[in-house]
Amino acid sequence: MRQPKFKDVNVTCPHDCPDTCSLVVTVDKSTGKAVKLKGNEEHPITKGFLCNKVNHYLDLVYNKNRILYPHVRVGPKGKKGKFKKVSWDHALKLISQNINKNLKEYGGDSIQPYSYSGTLGMLGYWGMSERFWNKMGAARLGRTICIAAASTAGIYTYGAACGPAIDEVPNNDLIILWGTNIVSTHVHMVPFVEEAKKKGAKIICIDPRETRTAALSDWHIQPKPGTDAALALGMMNEIVKNRKHDLAFLKKHTTGYREFLDKILPKYTLDKVSRITGVKKSDIKQLAFEYGSTKKTYIRPNYGL
C-alpha cells in the first residue's frame, strides 16, 4: 500500500495571545517542511478562525531573509560595519571566551542577561537559562521591558484572577469595551460580541479614539486621554448615590470600602468628572445608571486604560 506523502499535525500558536489558537499544519513528509496551515475548526473559541498574522505564518517561517545562523561583526561599528556567517561552534567559543574574560576581570555583575518571552514556551521563558546565570552570579533582569507595569497594576486592581472568558459574552445584557480595540487586536472576541448584539445586548465602547470597535458598538464614549480613572470614579459615585451598589459584596470581599464610599467618591461629582474627562454630565449619569441597573454585565478592559 502506498504511503501518503503528507501528514497533518495539530499544534498551538506560540504567540503572546490569550486565545491559544489550535492550528492544523500540513507537512510534506519527504522534505519535512510545512506546506499548509489553517485553524482547527474543532477549537471551541477560535473555531478555525486565525488572525491575519498567523494566517501567513509560513511566509515568515520560510522567508529567505530569516537569520538562521550566528553572524559576527567584522570591521567597525556603525554604517560601515559588516557581518559574516560563522559556525555555531565558533560563535559559542567567542561568547564563552568573552564571558570568562569579564568574570575574571570584573565579576558576575558585569554580565547582564537580556531576554524576554520569545515565543512564550514555558521552558524558554522561565527556566532554561536561569540556573546558568544564577550559577555564574550574573546581574538580575527585572523583565520589565514589556507589560510588567500593566500586569502589576492589573493585579492591584482586579486581583490575580484574569477575568471572564470571552465565550461568556453572549450571556450578558451589557458589554463594556473599555480602552480596547477588539476588532483590530482581539479578533476572536468579535463573533461573541456580535452574537450578544443579536440577542439584544447593548455594546458600549469607551475610548478617546475613533476605532473599528467604536463603529461596532451601540454607544461610543470618548473621555480625554488619561482620564479613565476619573470617569470610573464618577460612575461609582452615581451608582452609590442611587444605591445601585452591592454593599454585602463590598463588606465581604473588599478592604477600605467604607472610607472609599464616604470620603473618596463624594469628591467625584458630575461637574468635576465632566471637567476632567470632557464627557457630558448626562452621559456619565446615563453610563452609571445603565451599568448599575444591569446585573448581567461584562467589562473588557485593556492596557489602553
Side-chain angles (χ1 to χ4, degrees), residues 260-277:
F260 182 67
L261 265 57
D262 294 343
K263 297 182 180 180
I264 304 299
L265 286 187
K267 298 177 183 178
Y268 289 88
T269 62
L270 288 175
D271 285 331
K272 179 178 180 178
V273 173
S274 182
R275 283 198 308 273
I276 294 172
T277 64

Side-chain angles (χ1 to χ4, degrees), residues 94-151:
L94 280 179
I95 293 168
S96 61
Q97 287 175 344
N98 200 3
I99 286 176
N100 284 325
K101 180 176 182 292
N102 280 278
L103 281 174
K104 185 176 180 179
E105 293 186 21
Y106 306 108
D109 279 346
S110 68
I111 297 168
Q112 175 65 76
Y114 187 76
S115 63
Y116 209 64
S117 57
T119 51
L120 275 293
M122 294 303 289
L123 285 176
Y125 194 6
W126 295 114
M128 285 292 279
S129 64
E130 294 305 303
R131 295 178 70 186
F132 177 73
W133 299 121
N134 290 343
K135 181 75 172 177
M136 184 186 298
R140 300 275 180 164
L141 179 67
R143 291 183 180 268
T144 56
I145 56 177
C146 189
I147 63 166
S151 297

